Amino acid sequence: MTVHHLNQLLLACSVVLLVAVAAVRVSSRSGLPSLLVYLGIGVVMGSDGLGGVRFTNAELTQVIGYAALVVILAEGGLGTKWKEIKPVLPAATALAVVGVAVSVGVTAAAAHYLSGLGWRQSLIIGAVVSSTDAAAVFSVLRKVPLPARVKGTLEAESGFNDAPVVILVVAFSTAGPIEHWYVLIGEIALELAIGAAIGLAVGWLGSWGLRHVALPASGLYPIAVMAIAVTAYAAGALAHGSGFLAVYLASVLLGNAKLPHWPATRGFAEGLGWIAQIGMFVMLGLLVTPHELLDDVLPALVIGLVLTVVARPLGVVASLLPFRVPWQEQTLMSWAGLRGAVPVILATIPMVNGVDATHRIFNIVFVLVVVYTLVQGPTLPWLARKLRLGSGEEAADLGIESAPLERLRGHLLSVVIPGGSRMHGVEINELRLPSGSAVTLVVREGKSFVPLPTTTLRHGDELLVVATDPVREAAEKRLRAVGRGGKLAGWLGADGAGAGSRG
């Protein structure tokens, strides 16, 4: 590649990114899932579109897709609240294991008997489409006001179920007959255990190190966090474990560790996540050849219908039977099994391994993902309202950024009071911060001033709070408690009330 070629590539990539960013605005207004817009961009650029770009490298697509999925899982894990997924971990794990097994069996049977595919191809399709897509689930669910239990279960499931599905797809795509199913189950369990152990270890060590080592520049923290997450994936994969499970668990630990400069880190991770999604979907759009899809539209619709209205609901019911989940929540979880780029990426595995009829598998999966994402995504908020599962208006959480002051053995907390926060109307002295912390400055409508104890806080204010190292966590906890419960947070038992809440 010459410098001239590099210039052309940079121009093309930047234009695609700008178009994709503009498309997010359009999709958010229309309710159309943004992933379909990105796929459309790739199709338009492809061999049958206006761009005329001929791209057929399935192996490169798989490699880049894996890398993008690592970033997306890391971003999703960093944004997952531990308090929401902790109570639902058993249910989410059951959905990711039992639910996937049921979905694979039912969908594979439908593909074999209704579409005339061989058993190997049918099992591959069943496994490929049984994974909910983390990018689709994270982007859609965080716009829908669902109860914490439902949202936490679906987010954790989408982070967990990639791991067993990848193992199944690789096993079904391997040449030769599949013998001794119990050996396959044992291998899946071992890989998941190795991935979980490495992910938890890397996440804990990384969060401990970032909390105790003050880096010389705030911009280094986001880089360090993402590097730790990628380390978890690579270490898990090289140890013959599930790298996808490792990166998700490590990211969840990092995201709930109250690290310094956290809002900046979240913004950096979200930016990388968007780039990964855009690049992955555009590349998948390039890989598909639209005129070859026509013969596989009907089989895709039939298989997708069985997956959506039979396999997914059966998997949800079988998985959640021991947990006594209300039928309304089970109905929503059944409909919220969103597919996205992950199934299309996994459909490249049999292509790389030379399985028969791989192009047909890819085409069926592509059509299925596009059609049913178009149906399920926009209708999810409507179904939540019909089932009366909207959680209503909740107090908006505070944005707190912590900058370590190494020589002073303290921290400078930057606190933004968003609209909807119950800190609005609270006086400074009513915050009742722990001894060793204090509000030193308030920035309001572009003007800064030193507050009095009787200064009343408002929406949009930014506070600078100085806290010594021993009370930093207690000060953050108290601020978040007041943000959720107001001045009486401690007495009302609001979540997050900390030391000094009654002092």
Side-chain angles (χ1 to χ4, degrees):
M1 176 179 288
T2 65
V3 174
H4 179 67
H5 292 147
L6 175 63
N7 295 337
Q8 292 178 325
L9 179 62
L10 290 176
L11 177 62
C13 291
S14 61
V15 170
V16 169
L17 285 176
L18 290 173
V19 172
V21 170
V24 174
R25 180 69 175 176
V26 175
S27 66
S28 63
R29 288 187 173 184
S30 64
L32 183 70
S34 57
L35 65 91
L36 297 183
V37 178
Y38 304 150
L39 283 172
I41 293 173
V43 171
V44 170
M45 294 171 55
S47 57
D48 282 4
L50 300 177
V53 177
R54 183 169 180 79
F55 179 75
T56 58
N57 195 331
E59 188 170 4
L60 178 61
T61 303
Q62 178 185 333
V63 171
I64 295 180
Y66 269 45
L69 185 56
V70 169
V71 175
I72 291 169
L73 284 172
E75 189 272 328
L78 292 174
T80 299
K81 296 180 180 179
W82 174 246
K83 67 178 182 179
E84 291 185 358
I85 69 168
K86 182 180 178 181
V88 299
L89 277 179
T93 303
L95 279 173
V97 178
V98 178
V100 163
V102 173
S103 182
V104 170
V106 173
T107 308
H112 178 71
Y113 290 110
L114 299 180
S115 300
L117 292 168
W119 272 115
R120 181 177 293 276
Q121 288 77 15
S122 299
L123 286 169
I124 290 173
I125 290 178
V128 162
V129 300
S130 293
S131 172
T132 56
D133 184 71
V137 170
F138 293 145
S139 62
V140 172
L141 290 186
R142 291 175 184 176
K143 299 176 184 177
V144 182
L146 295 176
R149 179 170 67 175
V150 176
K151 184 180 295 186
T153 302
L154 291 171
E155 288 192 1
E157 179 205 6
S158 67
F160 292 160
N161 64 11
D162 289 338
V165 166
V166 169
I167 297 170
L168 285 174
V169 175
V170 172
F172 294 151
S173 301
T174 303
I178 299 173
E179 299 177 354
H180 306 306
W181 58 269
Y182 52 86
V183 176
L184 177 60
I185 293 177
E187 290 177 355
I188 292 175
L190 179 61
E191 289 193 26
L192 295 179
I194 293 173
I198 291 178
L200 293 174
V202 172
W204 184 86
L205 289 173
S207 59
W208 183 89
L210 290 177
R211 286 199 308 269
H212 290 82
V213 177
L215 299 177
S218 61
L220 295 175
Y221 284 91
I223 297 174
V225 167
M226 293 304 296
I228 292 169
V230 175
T231 297
Y233 167 80
L238 290 174
H240 301 289
S242 173
F244 294 122
L245 182 59
V247 66
Y248 182 72
L249 291 178
S251 300
V252 170
L253 286 181
L254 290 166
N256 290 272
K258 295 183 173 63
L259 300 178
H261 301 290
W262 184 244
T265 300
R266 281 291 296 131
F268 179 78
E270 286 179 5
L272 288 181
W274 278 111
I275 291 176
Q277 289 186 53
I278 293 169
M280 180 171 60
F281 289 127
V282 170
M283 182 175 297
L284 291 173
L286 283 172
L287 187 62
V288 71
T289 306
H291 74 265
E292 296 179 354
L293 298 177
L294 297 178
D295 293 337
D296 297 310
V297 170
L298 183 59
L301 294 178
V302 172
I303 295 171
L305 185 63
V306 173
L307 171 68
T308 304
V309 302
V310 181
R312 172 69 180 179
L314 283 177
V316 170
V317 171
S319 303
L320 301 183
L321 191 60
F323 303 101
R324 298 181 179 179
V325 178
W327 70 267
Q328 295 94 334
E329 296 183 6
Q330 292 193 40
T331 302
L332 188 68
M333 290 182 192
S334 298
W335 191 248
L338 302 176
R339 272 76 194 171
V342 172
V344 187
I345 291 171
L346 296 182
T348 64
I349 294 177
M351 295 178 72
V352 174
N353 288 354
V355 176
D356 293 338
T358 51
H359 286 286
R360 191 178 184 199
I361 293 174
F362 182 86
N363 291 341
I364 289 174
V365 172
F366 186 89
V367 173
L368 186 156
V369 167
V370 170
V371 172
Y372 286 93
T373 300
L374 185 60
V375 171
Q376 290 175 275
T379 57
L380 190 58
W382 173 84
L383 181 61
R385 289 193 299 269
K386 288 296 182 181
L387 295 172
R388 298 181 181 179
L389 290 177
S391 58
E393 292 294 327
E394 296 183 353
D397 205 358
L398 297 175
I400 301 180
E401 180 169 356
S402 173
L405 306 173
E406 186 175 18
R407 294 185 180 180
L408 300 180
R409 300 177 64 83
H411 293 263
L412 181 64
L413 308 180
S414 175
V415 183
V416 179
I417 304 178
S421 171
R422 294 197 174 103
M423 192 177 284
H424 176 80
V426 175
E427 295 182 0
I428 294 292
N429 60 358
E430 292 173 329
L431 292 175
R432 298 188 302 282
L433 294 175
S435 178
S437 60
V439 179
T440 59
L441 196 69
V442 175
V443 181
R444 178 177 295 165
E445 297 178 352
K447 297 180 180 180
S448 58
F449 60 92
V450 177
L452 298 173
T454 56
T455 298
T456 301
L457 300 174
R458 301 178 185 173
H459 293 147
D461 285 355
E462 182 174 355
L463 316 180
L464 293 183
V465 181
V466 174
T468 56
D469 193 59
V471 302
R472 195 249 314 176
E473 289 191 10
E476 285 194 29
K477 205 172 183 182
R478 176 59 189 166
L479 288 167
R480 295 186 189 278
V482 176
R484 298 189 189 103
K487 66 182 74 175
L488 299 180
W491 284 274
L492 295 176
D495 181 38
S501 62
R502 293 173 174 80

